[in-house]
Amino acid sequence: MGKNFKRFTKVLLTGVLTASLVTACGSGGKPAAEEQPKQQTAVNPTGFPIVEEPIKLTFFAGKAASAPADWNALPVWKEYAKQTNIEVDFQLTPEESLAEKRNLVLSGGDYPDAFHTARLSANDLMNYGGQGIFIPLNDLIDQYAPNFKKLLEEHPEAKKGLTMPDGNIYSFPTFYDPNFKSVLIGTKLWYNQAFLDALGMKEPETTDEYYEYLKAVKTQDPNKNGKADEIPYAASGIGSLLDELKGAWGLGNRGNIHGRVDMDPQSGKLRFIPTDPRYKEVLEYLNKLYKEGLMVQDIMTIEGPQVNALMDEGFVGSAETNSPHAIGGVTIEHFVGAPTLKGPYGDQIFSRARSPLIDIGAFVITDKNQHPEATVRWIDHFYSEEGSKLFFMGVKDVSYVENPDGSIEYTEEALKEQSKFVSWAGGFYPAMLTDKTFKGGEATEQSIAAAAKVEGQWPEEVWPQFTYTQEELTQFTPLHTDINKYVDEMRAKFIVGDVPFSEWDQYVSTIEKMGLSQYLEIYTAAYDRYKAE
């Protein structure tokens, strides 16, 4: 069914460190703020309904542009309310004003029972959890979340990534099945097979072969229209291709959540990638592509929909995008996933790998909630296969059907207009996503095949995000902001030629003077805590 499904999701990533479920206050945790007296409502330990007497909850929820305008009217949530005896009022805030509105609500004190799909960072969790506004979930997970508890037991790296430095877990995350590699990858490199066939070339497997392919696309008229209108490489921005290529120089060996820090194989210490000599070589390679006109014009400013349109029109030889066969509004054909490219020193790392712990701040419960036990049971369902199916597919025989072999697929009506049935479009949701329960763009035959090509070069260890104590954040945040802003600016200037590579040493010296050693010292402390568990 994949080809007909014209949606894909974007996801964002964040995570943390430490481990083991501890008491609700947590080892070393701060005391919670004065709690509201909780209403005593009987909660069934298993099965449905969750409560015998109906209750109502209010959730603040972030709405992506691609998500439905009114979640309360959707069949998925009406059905779940019937099953659980819990009615949820989703109060939606558009993503463009989400952070501002969320912070105002929290600072004003008039916040709801829970925050759902609200894009809370690890720092938010630590901050508001430490104040007692977000309640610790450790004991509640242990008693009322059997599905999520099992997930943490089976994936200890997720448990480590969710636990704050104070020992508490404050949130339920977005979690991707680690075996579902195409959704873990997200954006990746694609080749136009029709162009390869027309040129009589095999798919490029090295960085040198990739360059030769792009040059042939530019000069040999593979679309056979007699015009030099082919675009060798297209994407919105240069960062995705850089992240793809750096593994060919041995960089990014702990995955792409930490896009600029990995492990130096020589010293065994953390390495800041943008000052490494091999990073300079990646930039020089990209500069060569740019200078020779092998990239789409205005690559630094062109928008994704414009790139999709160029691919749809048959002009593009290679691209960085999500699942080209499942992008709404276009019919992109002939693209196949690229293998992990081998670089000049023989390195071949798929550096775009991500941790399955995607968005740690997807769901939190506040101290205003009078029914925390029931709320934990409510959210826990979405970390089971049945709950995941409900969340992503909707209601059986309404938005999806089950085939005799047990597989599921959307109904024709849901394929045409998914937003009438479910609310997950746009990502950042609290749920477990698997290849059995998700039929979005990453589940297409082409995306699965593309993921299989790179799975053999997946890093042995992929880090989730780390977290920092409040004291560390005071120093780390300005360092992180300033250093990475400078790296971004200089990356673009080196690639387009505004700054010559003869100034590389000065660039590195500037970063060192900005406090790189202190930055790495704090980063290492966070890493050490992560590894200690």
Side-chain angles (χ1 to χ4, degrees):
M1 68 135 278
K3 280 189 178 180
N4 295 323
F5 187 69
K6 296 292 185 180
R7 285 190 178 274
F8 71 101
T9 59
K10 294 180 180 177
V11 298
L12 222 168
L13 340 123
T14 184
V16 261
L17 57 122
T18 297
S20 81
L21 292 174
V22 291
T23 59
C25 183
S27 175
K30 298 181 182 179
E34 185 177 343
E35 295 185 0
Q36 300 291 329
K38 300 292 185 288
Q39 298 176 8
Q40 297 301 313
T41 302
V43 177
N44 293 322
T46 60
F48 292 133
I50 291 174
V51 289
E52 296 297 336
E53 295 296 322
I55 61 174
K56 294 184 178 181
L57 298 171
T58 300
F59 291 176
F60 178 108
K63 179 198 160 327
S66 55
D70 181 8
W71 294 7
N72 298 314
L74 297 176
V76 60
W77 296 120
K78 289 184 176 181
E79 175 65 22
Y80 195 46
K82 291 178 186 176
Q83 293 178 11
T84 60
N85 251 354
I86 298 174
E87 180 183 342
V88 171
D89 177 16
F90 288 98
Q91 298 181 346
L92 301 184
T93 296
E95 61 181 327
E96 56 268 22
S97 57
L98 176 59
E100 180 183 7
K101 178 69 177 295
R102 184 191 65 213
N103 294 339
L104 283 172
V105 167
L106 283 165
S107 62
D110 187 21
Y111 45 83
D113 296 305
F115 285 79
H116 186 293
T117 318
R119 308 190 186 198
L120 292 157
S121 70
N123 296 346
D124 291 328
L125 299 177
M126 192 66 195
N127 180 23
Y128 294 110
Q131 295 178 45
I133 293 173
F134 299 161
I135 66 171
L137 301 172
N138 307 53
D139 283 352
L140 290 166
I141 290 169
D142 195 43
Q143 297 176 45
Y144 295 99
N147 298 308
F148 192 64
K149 181 180 178 181
K150 180 182 178 183
L151 184 151
L152 296 183
E153 290 170 348
E154 292 178 349
H155 303 284
E157 73 281 6
K159 185 177 177 181
K160 291 162 67 173
L162 277 173
T163 308
M164 293 292 123
D166 65 2
N168 287 326
I169 293 176
Y170 293 106
S171 63
F172 288 85
T174 307
F175 185 83
Y176 290 173
D177 182 347
N179 296 316
F180 195 1
K181 287 293 191 289
S182 65
V183 77
L184 273 182
I185 292 168
T187 299
K188 77 174 303 294
L189 186 63
W190 299 82
Y191 296 154
N192 187 330
Q193 185 64 54
F195 280 17
L196 284 168
D197 292 342
L199 294 166
M201 301 179 74
K202 68 180 183 68
E203 68 176 23
E205 297 178 350
T206 70
T207 52
D208 285 344
E209 290 175 358
Y210 184 56
Y211 166 72
E212 293 299 332
Y213 167 62
L214 297 181
K215 195 161 62 170
V217 170
K218 181 177 177 65
T219 61
Q220 297 182 30
D221 191 27
N223 67 9
K224 305 300 182 186
N225 67 354
K227 302 176 182 178
D229 54 6
E230 289 85 355
I231 300 168
Y233 171 79
S236 177
I238 199 64
S240 291
L241 184 58
L242 190 154
D243 284 337
E244 186 89 28
L245 290 172
K246 67 188 180 188
W249 273 265
L251 306 171
N253 56 38
R254 293 298 185 269
N256 207 36
I257 286 181
H258 295 262
R260 289 178 174 167
V261 174
D262 69 353
M263 184 63 68
D264 186 337
Q266 302 299 322
S267 67
K269 297 179 180 179
L270 297 194
R271 169 174 61 182
F272 189 63
I273 293 171
T275 56
D276 192 90
R278 288 196 177 187
Y279 182 83
K280 177 186 176 184
E281 293 185 30
V282 180
L283 296 185
E284 288 174 329
Y285 180 91
L286 292 168
N287 171 253
K288 178 171 69 171
L289 302 187
Y290 184 87
K291 283 194 307 183
E292 296 186 18
L294 304 182
M295 296 179 176
V296 67
Q297 194 173 15
D298 301 324
I299 190 169
M300 301 298 184
T301 57
I302 192 171
E303 299 291 336
Q306 296 170 280
V307 173
N308 296 338
L310 293 170
M311 295 175 70
D312 186 22
E313 293 168 20
F315 294 135
V316 177
S318 179
E320 276 278 352
T321 186
N322 196 290
S323 301
H325 309 86
I327 297 175
V330 291
T331 304
I332 297 172
E333 299 178 319
H334 308 305
F335 278 81
V336 296
T340 307
L341 295 176
K342 184 178 290 188
Y345 306 104
D347 298 288
Q348 193 177 19
I349 300 170
F350 185 70
S351 47
R352 289 193 61 83
R354 293 189 296 175
S355 163
L357 192 63
I358 298 298
D359 176 41
I360 68 162
F363 186 85
V364 299
I365 300 172
T366 74
D367 61 343
K368 297 287 183 70
N369 192 311
Q370 301 296 301
H371 309 282
E373 297 86 359
T375 306
V376 167
R377 276 220 57 211
W378 185 95
I379 195 66
D380 179 61
H381 184 54
F382 300 109
Y383 298 91
S384 69
E385 186 169 323
E386 280 303 310
S388 180
K389 188 189 302 181
L390 175 69
F391 186 77
F392 292 107
M393 302 297 292
V395 181
K396 184 179 178 181
D397 297 326
V398 175
S399 54
Y400 79 91
V401 294
E402 190 167 322
N403 299 317
D405 64 358
S407 63
I408 56 178
E409 59 183 323
Y410 285 106
T411 62
E412 286 299 318
E413 187 177 1
L415 280 174
K416 293 175 183 175
E417 198 169 358
Q418 169 223 316
S419 61
K420 290 172 59 176
F421 302 96
V422 289
S423 61
W424 58 263
F428 302 94
Y429 42 70
M432 175 182 69
L433 184 152
T434 76
D435 59 355
K436 295 180 181 178
T437 60
F438 179 74
K439 301 299 176 183
E442 294 88 347
T444 63
E445 179 183 344
Q446 297 92 338
S447 290
I448 298 294
K453 284 186 177 181
V454 303
E455 190 167 353
Q457 292 78 45
W458 204 265
E460 290 184 14
E461 183 181 1
V462 177
W463 290 334
Q465 281 287 4
F466 309 144
T467 53
Y468 306 87
T469 65
Q470 293 290 353
E471 182 180 356
E472 287 170 341
L473 282 172
T474 302
Q475 304 171 63
F476 185 78
T477 301
L479 286 169
H480 179 83
T481 300
D482 293 344
I483 289 174
N484 283 283
K485 180 182 178 182
Y486 179 70
V487 168
D488 284 341
E489 292 173 353
M490 293 302 292
R491 177 185 70 182
K493 290 178 179 179
F494 279 127
I495 290 171
V496 303
D498 289 346
V499 173
F501 285 97
S502 59
E503 295 188 19
W504 175 262
D505 289 345
Q506 181 180 333
Y507 154 79
V508 172
S509 176
T510 300
I511 294 175
E512 290 172 346
K513 291 175 183 176
M514 293 175 77
L516 179 60
S517 61
Q518 185 183 16
Y519 176 85
L520 285 175
E521 183 180 334
I522 300 169
Y523 217 118
T524 300
Y527 167 74
D528 288 343
R529 284 195 299 267
Y530 168 77
K531 294 297 287 185
E533 299 297 331

